[in-house]
PDB file of all heavy atoms in Angstrom:
ATOM      1  N   VAL Q 585       1.467   0.642 -23.599  1.00  0.00           N
ATOM      2  CA  VAL Q 585       0.765  -0.616 -23.885  1.00  0.00           C
ATOM      3  C   VAL Q 585      -0.667  -0.593 -23.350  1.00  0.00           C
ATOM      4  O   VAL Q 585      -1.527  -1.335 -23.850  1.00  0.00           O
ATOM      5  CB  VAL Q 585       1.528  -1.821 -23.300  1.00  0.00           C
ATOM      6  CG1 VAL Q 585       2.911  -1.933 -23.909  1.00  0.00           C
ATOM      7  CG2 VAL Q 585       1.628  -1.747 -21.778  1.00  0.00           C
ATOM      8  N   ARG Q 586      -0.948   0.252 -22.361  1.00  0.00           N
ATOM      9  CA  ARG Q 586      -2.312   0.315 -21.821  1.00  0.00           C
ATOM     10  C   ARG Q 586      -3.216   1.236 -22.630  1.00  0.00           C
ATOM     11  O   ARG Q 586      -4.402   0.948 -22.818  1.00  0.00           O
ATOM     12  CB  ARG Q 586      -2.267   0.798 -20.368  1.00  0.00           C
ATOM     13  CG  ARG Q 586      -1.774  -0.254 -19.382  1.00  0.00           C
ATOM     14  CD  ARG Q 586      -1.444   0.364 -18.053  1.00  0.00           C
ATOM     15  NE  ARG Q 586      -1.094  -0.639 -17.052  1.00  0.00           N
ATOM     16  CZ  ARG Q 586      -0.503  -0.373 -15.888  1.00  0.00           C
ATOM     17  NH1 ARG Q 586      -0.200   0.887 -15.589  1.00  0.00           N
ATOM     18  NH2 ARG Q 586      -0.222  -1.343 -15.043  1.00  0.00           N
ATOM     19  N   MET Q 587      -2.690   2.345 -23.112  1.00  0.00           N
ATOM     20  CA  MET Q 587      -3.519   3.334 -23.791  1.00  0.00           C
ATOM     21  C   MET Q 587      -3.340   3.331 -25.305  1.00  0.00           C
ATOM     22  O   MET Q 587      -4.181   3.874 -26.014  1.00  0.00           O
ATOM     23  CB  MET Q 587      -3.203   4.736 -23.251  1.00  0.00           C
ATOM     24  CG  MET Q 587      -3.280   4.860 -21.732  1.00  0.00           C
ATOM     25  SD  MET Q 587      -4.840   4.271 -21.028  1.00  0.00           S
ATOM     26  CE  MET Q 587      -5.994   5.433 -21.728  1.00  0.00           C
ATOM     27  N   GLY Q 588      -2.262   2.762 -25.811  1.00  0.00           N
ATOM     28  CA  GLY Q 588      -2.051   2.701 -27.255  1.00  0.00           C
ATOM     29  C   GLY Q 588      -2.765   1.503 -27.854  1.00  0.00           C
ATOM     30  O   GLY Q 588      -2.179   0.438 -28.012  1.00  0.00           O
ATOM     31  N   LEU Q 589      -4.020   1.700 -28.218  1.00  0.00           N
ATOM     32  CA  LEU Q 589      -4.856   0.585 -28.691  1.00  0.00           C
ATOM     33  C   LEU Q 589      -5.348   0.780 -30.116  1.00  0.00           C
ATOM     34  O   LEU Q 589      -6.181   0.002 -30.587  1.00  0.00           O
ATOM     35  CB  LEU Q 589      -6.065   0.411 -27.751  1.00  0.00           C
ATOM     36  CG  LEU Q 589      -5.735   0.165 -26.274  1.00  0.00           C
ATOM     37  CD1 LEU Q 589      -7.012   0.068 -25.453  1.00  0.00           C
ATOM     38  CD2 LEU Q 589      -4.898  -1.092 -26.095  1.00  0.00           C
ATOM     39  N   GLN Q 590      -4.858   1.809 -30.815  1.00  0.00           N
ATOM     40  CA  GLN Q 590      -5.290   2.072 -32.183  1.00  0.00           C
ATOM     41  C   GLN Q 590      -4.158   1.735 -33.151  1.00  0.00           C
ATOM     42  O   GLN Q 590      -3.166   2.447 -33.215  1.00  0.00           O
ATOM     43  CB  GLN Q 590      -5.716   3.536 -32.343  1.00  0.00           C
ATOM     44  CG  GLN Q 590      -6.823   3.969 -31.425  1.00  0.00           C
ATOM     45  CD  GLN Q 590      -8.105   3.173 -31.643  1.00  0.00           C
ATOM     46  OE1 GLN Q 590      -8.484   2.870 -32.763  1.00  0.00           O
ATOM     47  NE2 GLN Q 590      -8.783   2.834 -30.550  1.00  0.00           N
ATOM     48  N   PRO Q 591      -4.290   0.635 -33.911  1.00  0.00           N
ATOM     49  CA  PRO Q 591      -3.181   0.214 -34.776  1.00  0.00           C
ATOM     50  C   PRO Q 591      -3.118   0.999 -36.074  1.00  0.00           C
ATOM     51  O   PRO Q 591      -4.127   1.466 -36.597  1.00  0.00           O
ATOM     52  CB  PRO Q 591      -3.496  -1.262 -35.041  1.00  0.00           C
ATOM     53  CG  PRO Q 591      -4.987  -1.338 -34.944  1.00  0.00           C
ATOM     54  CD  PRO Q 591      -5.403  -0.324 -33.914  1.00  0.00           C
ATOM     55  N   VAL Q 592      -1.911   1.128 -36.588  1.00  0.00           N
ATOM     56  CA  VAL Q 592      -1.656   1.611 -37.945  1.00  0.00           C
ATOM     57  C   VAL Q 592      -1.052   0.439 -38.708  1.00  0.00           C
ATOM     58  O   VAL Q 592      -0.088  -0.169 -38.255  1.00  0.00           O
ATOM     59  CB  VAL Q 592      -0.701   2.818 -37.961  1.00  0.00           C
ATOM     60  CG1 VAL Q 592      -0.389   3.243 -39.386  1.00  0.00           C
ATOM     61  CG2 VAL Q 592      -1.300   3.976 -37.181  1.00  0.00           C
ATOM     62  N   TYR Q 593      -1.627   0.123 -39.871  1.00  0.00           N
ATOM     63  CA  TYR Q 593      -1.249  -1.086 -40.604  1.00  0.00           C
ATOM     64  C   TYR Q 593      -0.226  -0.758 -41.678  1.00  0.00           C
ATOM     65  O   TYR Q 593      -0.421   0.149 -42.496  1.00  0.00           O
ATOM     66  CB  TYR Q 593      -2.489  -1.729 -41.233  1.00  0.00           C
ATOM     67  CG  TYR Q 593      -3.478  -2.240 -40.221  1.00  0.00           C
ATOM     68  CD1 TYR Q 593      -4.506  -1.421 -39.749  1.00  0.00           C
ATOM     69  CD2 TYR Q 593      -3.392  -3.533 -39.722  1.00  0.00           C
ATOM     70  CE1 TYR Q 593      -5.414  -1.888 -38.811  1.00  0.00           C
ATOM     71  CE2 TYR Q 593      -4.302  -4.002 -38.788  1.00  0.00           C
ATOM     72  CZ  TYR Q 593      -5.308  -3.170 -38.339  1.00  0.00           C
ATOM     73  OH  TYR Q 593      -6.205  -3.626 -37.413  1.00  0.00           O
ATOM     74  N   PHE Q 594       0.863  -1.540 -41.686  1.00  0.00           N
ATOM     75  CA  PHE Q 594       1.915  -1.401 -42.681  1.00  0.00           C
ATOM     76  C   PHE Q 594       2.006  -2.695 -43.483  1.00  0.00           C
ATOM     77  O   PHE Q 594       2.036  -3.786 -42.914  1.00  0.00           O
ATOM     78  CB  PHE Q 594       3.256  -1.103 -42.016  1.00  0.00           C
ATOM     79  CG  PHE Q 594       3.296   0.208 -41.290  1.00  0.00           C
ATOM     80  CD1 PHE Q 594       2.989   0.282 -39.936  1.00  0.00           C
ATOM     81  CD2 PHE Q 594       3.629   1.371 -41.959  1.00  0.00           C
ATOM     82  CE1 PHE Q 594       3.011   1.483 -39.262  1.00  0.00           C
ATOM     83  CE2 PHE Q 594       3.652   2.588 -41.289  1.00  0.00           C
ATOM     84  CZ  PHE Q 594       3.343   2.642 -39.939  1.00  0.00           C
ATOM     85  N   CYS Q 595       2.048  -2.525 -44.791  1.00  0.00           N
ATOM     86  CA  CYS Q 595       2.097  -3.691 -45.676  1.00  0.00           C
ATOM     87  C   CYS Q 595       3.464  -4.367 -45.566  1.00  0.00           C
ATOM     88  O   CYS Q 595       4.509  -3.701 -45.585  1.00  0.00           O
ATOM     89  CB  CYS Q 595       1.831  -3.264 -47.120  1.00  0.00           C
ATOM     90  SG  CYS Q 595       1.860  -4.619 -48.303  1.00  0.00           S
ATOM     91  N   ILE Q 596       3.445  -5.679 -45.434  1.00  0.00           N
ATOM     92  CA  ILE Q 596       4.668  -6.477 -45.474  1.00  0.00           C
ATOM     93  C   ILE Q 596       4.860  -6.940 -46.908  1.00  0.00           C
ATOM     94  O   ILE Q 596       3.954  -7.513 -47.516  1.00  0.00           O
ATOM     95  CB  ILE Q 596       4.578  -7.685 -44.524  1.00  0.00           C
ATOM     96  CG1 ILE Q 596       4.323  -7.222 -43.079  1.00  0.00           C
ATOM     97  CG2 ILE Q 596       5.850  -8.520 -44.591  1.00  0.00           C
ATOM     98  CD1 ILE Q 596       4.140  -8.365 -42.103  1.00  0.00           C
ATOM     99  N   TYR Q 597       6.043  -6.678 -47.461  1.00  0.00           N
ATOM    100  CA  TYR Q 597       6.320  -7.036 -48.851  1.00  0.00           C
ATOM    101  C   TYR Q 597       7.194  -8.274 -48.906  1.00  0.00           C
ATOM    102  O   TYR Q 597       8.164  -8.417 -48.140  1.00  0.00           O
ATOM    103  CB  TYR Q 597       7.009  -5.876 -49.577  1.00  0.00           C
ATOM    104  CG  TYR Q 597       6.086  -4.718 -49.842  1.00  0.00           C
ATOM    105  CD1 TYR Q 597       5.999  -3.652 -48.944  1.00  0.00           C
ATOM    106  CD2 TYR Q 597       5.281  -4.684 -50.975  1.00  0.00           C
ATOM    107  CE1 TYR Q 597       5.146  -2.586 -49.175  1.00  0.00           C
ATOM    108  CE2 TYR Q 597       4.423  -3.619 -51.219  1.00  0.00           C
ATOM    109  CZ  TYR Q 597       4.366  -2.581 -50.319  1.00  0.00           C
ATOM    110  OH  TYR Q 597       3.513  -1.526 -50.544  1.00  0.00           O
ATOM    111  N   SER Q 598       6.839  -9.161 -49.815  1.00  0.00           N
ATOM    112  CA  SER Q 598       7.605 -10.376 -50.052  1.00  0.00           C
ATOM    113  C   SER Q 598       8.544 -10.153 -51.227  1.00  0.00           C
ATOM    114  O   SER Q 598       8.156  -9.563 -52.236  1.00  0.00           O
ATOM    115  CB  SER Q 598       6.663 -11.550 -50.347  1.00  0.00           C
ATOM    116  OG  SER Q 598       7.387 -12.694 -50.756  1.00  0.00           O
ATOM    117  N   VAL Q 599       9.787 -10.615 -51.100  1.00  0.00           N
ATOM    118  CA  VAL Q 599      10.769 -10.475 -52.170  1.00  0.00           C
ATOM    119  C   VAL Q 599      11.372 -11.841 -52.463  1.00  0.00           C
ATOM    120  O   VAL Q 599      11.811 -12.549 -51.564  1.00  0.00           O
ATOM    121  CB  VAL Q 599      11.868  -9.447 -51.790  1.00  0.00           C
ATOM    122  CG1 VAL Q 599      12.498  -9.771 -50.445  1.00  0.00           C
ATOM    123  CG2 VAL Q 599      12.938  -9.383 -52.869  1.00  0.00           C
TER     124      VAL Q 599
END
Side-chain angles (χ1 to χ4, degrees):
V585 299
R586 285 167 174 166
M587 307 307 295
L589 303 178
Q590 302 299 320
V592 177
Y593 295 90
F594 296 92
C595 180
I596 302 176
Y597 288 93
S598 172
V599 53

